[in-house]
Amino acid sequence: MSRTLQLAEQLISRPSVTPDDAGCQQILGERLARLGFRLESIESGPADFRVTNLWAVRPGAGEPQATRTVAFAGHTDVVPTGPLEQWSSHPFTPTHRDGKLYGRGACDMKTSLAAFVVAIEDFLATTPDPRLTLALLLTSDEEGPALDGTVVVCNTLAARGERIDYCIVGEPTAVERCGDMIKNGRRGTMSGKLTVKGVQGHIAYPHLAKNPIHAFAPALAELVAINAAGGWDAANAYFQPTSWQISNIHAGTGASNIIPGAAVIDFNFRFSTESTPESLQQRVRAVLDTHGLDYTLAWTIGGLPFLTTPGELVGAVQQAIRDETGIETELSTSGGTSDARFIAKICKQVVELGPVNASIHKIDEHITVAEIEQLKNIYKRTLDRLETLQGV
Ligand SMILES: [Zn+2]
């Protein structure tokens, strides 16, 4: 059995539902310690939601100032299984059927973690004294609130003045085959909670009340029209136009004879590098003000967009995928947010590269077994290429 498959199965056997690491980081840390990595466990969060993070580093040869750091990053936690009786085999018992490996975390993202570690082992077998500094950043809080995970490690590194030069996040990014898509950026996310104020009253005496839903309706039509026209900003080479969506509208008491006193509207922007939180906030306020609304508006920025333009890391990954699979990979910034948004603050070159994402978070999550070795080889080839770029 391949070492990557064996290690992936070992990890899948651990029921590490967020924020419980269930010993996964210890398994991976022990493998790295044997290769000369220095391990640092960084715990964070309240007693009832304790998050375990691991930062592991193996210094490269040569002057510390000159050596570049390449980090693999990912999460040991998995999402809950959902109803056990709907799984064809137990989610925490790695099981093979039809050339596929089934289990929670099979593609999001315990196989990537196994592939990271075995790729590093293979790389050090052929390059025992690399110029590259190698690192691994793991958290057990990516699928949860993500308040005590990767962001805490990144803040710790930033406070110490440590930097990462290249980072590969193992999130499942492929569409049909391993290597067919990587993420070289992600959109930002910002939510707004709008409260439009009215005056509550009897529905038969509207002149004595003020209906906040009626007041908001023209503004809503205008916001929807801007969005439908892709009018928040322009698409660029890497991003679609920014998108705006309402997730909830609440108003009314439940009674059919009362004009509500307020309407609460929740919405979210997924925004590109063409916009900033400030520019979008200003646009929304301008629309609300035009329509003379009495309102309050609270914003939550979930993450800023990031973009890694083609350069050393993107080039190395593209070539590694080409050499291993023959595929010309597609660069994409689609999909939700990931921990890469935190890493991008301390690392200029970040890409996400992992298995096919079709079954993530689902019942019967699985990965094609043949692609496990391929993924490990792509990571190994990427290290080889980055190493050849050092000291030239
Ligand atoms: Zn994930």
Side-chain angles (χ1 to χ4, degrees):
M1 193 200 267
S2 102
R3 283 146 56 228
T4 316
L5 176 57
Q6 205 169 17
L7 183 53
E9 292 194 3
Q10 217 180 333
L11 296 173
I12 292 167
S13 304
R14 303 294 178 117
S16 56
V17 176
T18 318
D20 188 3
D21 167 68
C24 293
Q25 290 174 21
Q26 195 185 339
I27 294 171
L28 297 165
E30 280 170 7
R31 293 278 283 253
L32 294 176
R34 272 182 243 152
L35 300 169
F37 277 73
R38 190 186 70 231
L39 308 182
E40 183 180 356
S41 193
I42 302 172
E43 288 195 17
S44 183
D48 61 345
F49 199 90
R50 200 72 184 149
V51 172
T52 319
N53 303 295
L54 179 68
W55 172 243
V57 190
R58 184 187 186 283
E63 289 297 308
Q65 292 312 315
T67 171
R68 304 258 190 124
T69 299
V70 55
F72 290 107
H75 57 90
T76 52
D77 60 320
V78 295
V79 294
T81 61
L84 281 179
E85 66 277 10
Q86 290 183 22
W87 283 74
S88 306
S89 49
H90 195 281
F92 298 119
T93 305
T95 305
H96 290 255
R97 283 192 303 277
D98 310 324
K100 298 184 184 77
L101 170 66
Y102 287 80
R104 177 58 86 223
C107 45
D108 189 8
M109 53 172 281
K110 289 179 167 175
T111 304
S112 305
L113 304 183
F116 286 164
V117 168
V118 177
I120 291 170
E121 289 172 349
D122 287 0
F123 173 67
L124 289 173
T126 53
T127 312
D129 196 17
R131 281 182 291 254
L132 281 172
T133 291
L134 306 174
L136 186 70
L137 192 173
L138 297 177
T139 182
S140 66
D141 176 28
E142 195 273 344
E143 303 287 8
L147 297 174
D148 294 294
T150 300
V151 65
V152 169
V153 180
C154 290
N155 289 344
T156 305
L157 296 178
R160 296 202 298 235
E162 288 185 48
R163 66 169 206 282
I164 300 173
D165 298 287
Y166 316 106
C167 183
I168 299 166
V169 182
E171 287 296 340
T173 53
V175 182
E176 280 170 3
R177 287 177 56 200
C178 181
D180 65 4
M181 183 181 280
I182 66 171
K183 308 277 184 188
N184 64 322
R186 292 273 190 169
R187 294 180 296 183
T189 172
M190 177 171 69
S191 295
K193 185 178 271 299
L194 169 67
T195 305
V196 179
K197 293 174 195 164
V199 177
Q200 184 175 319
H202 196 296
I203 216 150
Y205 301 93
H207 57 289
L208 299 177
K210 188 176 159 196
N211 194 320
I213 302 173
H214 294 203
F216 178 56
L220 173 60
E222 193 172 327
L223 292 167
V224 169
I226 293 173
N227 195 59
W232 298 109
D233 49 29
N236 64 26
Y238 300 100
F239 288 94
Q240 297 289 103
T242 288
S243 138
W244 173 87
Q245 292 292 323
I246 288 184
S247 56
N248 296 282
I249 293 188
H250 293 295
T253 61
S256 59
N257 60 354
I258 298 177
I259 290 171
V264 179
I265 299 100
D266 297 313
F267 59 83
N268 176 271
F269 277 107
R270 293 298 159 116
F271 62 103
S272 78
T273 47
E274 295 289 310
S275 288
T276 62
E278 295 73 30
S279 69
L280 295 169
Q281 290 176 12
Q282 220 163 49
R283 292 280 299 279
V284 171
R285 274 198 305 266
V287 172
L288 300 175
D289 292 341
T290 303
H291 294 278
L293 296 179
D294 182 9
Y295 66 92
T296 58
L297 183 48
W299 298 95
T300 308
I301 300 169
L304 297 174
F306 80 91
L307 178 66
T308 302
T309 50
E312 290 172 349
L313 181 59
V314 169
V317 168
Q318 282 172 318
Q319 189 61 45
I321 292 171
R322 204 176 289 132
D323 291 345
E324 179 63 26
T325 66
I327 295 174
E328 207 55 50
T329 195
E330 183 184 338
L331 302 182
S332 168
T333 59
S334 63
T337 57
S338 77
D339 275 358
R341 68 188 190 271
F342 304 124
I343 299 165
K345 287 186 180 160
I346 58 163
C347 176
K348 287 205 178 73
Q349 300 186 52
V350 183
V351 302
E352 299 177 39
L353 160 62
V356 173
N357 57 24
S359 69
I360 60 172
H361 295 206
K362 291 186 177 174
I363 302 282
D364 284 348
E365 178 179 347
H366 62 272
I367 184 169
T368 301
V369 174
E371 296 196 341
I372 295 176
E373 206 61 12
Q374 274 189 329
L375 182 63
K376 183 267 289 178
N377 291 339
I378 292 169
Y379 291 151
K380 156 75 162 66
R381 288 176 187 272
T382 303
L383 289 176
D384 288 338
R385 294 201 73 83
L386 289 174
E387 176 67 15
T388 63
L389 295 176
Q390 307 310 308
V392 285

